[in-house]
Amino acid sequence: LETIQLRQMKDEYLLTMGQEVVLALGQGDGDSDYYILGGGCGLFYPDPQTGALRGRLLDSLQERSTDTDAQTLEEAFDLLAEAMTKE
């Protein structure tokens, strides 16, 4: 298990301690901090009312994948990993 430092803006995508999410992270050149790609585009989290997974890029990832019904955090992670290997 590795601890990373996440740099965030204080906006609508600000995470709280203990919040369970899947993140697509980027790292600046020579920087030890990570950031969420595309602002909120690399952030995926469950909707507290419905339990369904939400994320700005989820629809786009599903269109590129053979799994068109990702609803869990694990499935979102798999979609991100699959998208990264195709590029």
Side-chain angles (χ1 to χ4, degrees):
L1 181 62
E2 181 181 345
T3 300
I4 63 168
Q5 299 294 320
L6 179 62
R7 185 178 341 141
Q8 290 192 267
M9 302 292 290
K10 291 184 179 180
D11 59 13
E12 68 268 29
Y13 304 112
L14 185 62
L15 300 174
T16 59
M17 292 295 288
Q19 187 175 7
E20 192 171 337
V21 295
V22 173
L23 302 173
L25 299 176
Q27 185 177 26
D29 293 334
D31 198 348
S32 61
D33 292 345
Y34 290 81
Y35 59 91
I36 301 171
L37 291 175
C41 292
L43 173 60
F44 304 90
Y45 53 96
D47 183 309
Q49 295 181 356
T50 66
L53 194 65
R54 295 188 309 165
R56 288 175 53 195
L57 287 183
L58 190 57
D59 290 342
S60 174
L61 286 170
Q62 288 174 336
E63 287 173 8
R64 297 174 57 184
S65 173
T66 57
D67 177 9
T68 59
D69 192 32
Q71 293 295 311
T72 67
L73 296 174
E74 292 83 8
E75 290 168 340
F77 178 83
D78 291 343
L79 287 175
L80 286 167
E82 181 181 332
M84 294 302 290
T85 59
K86 287 183 179 180
E87 291 183 4

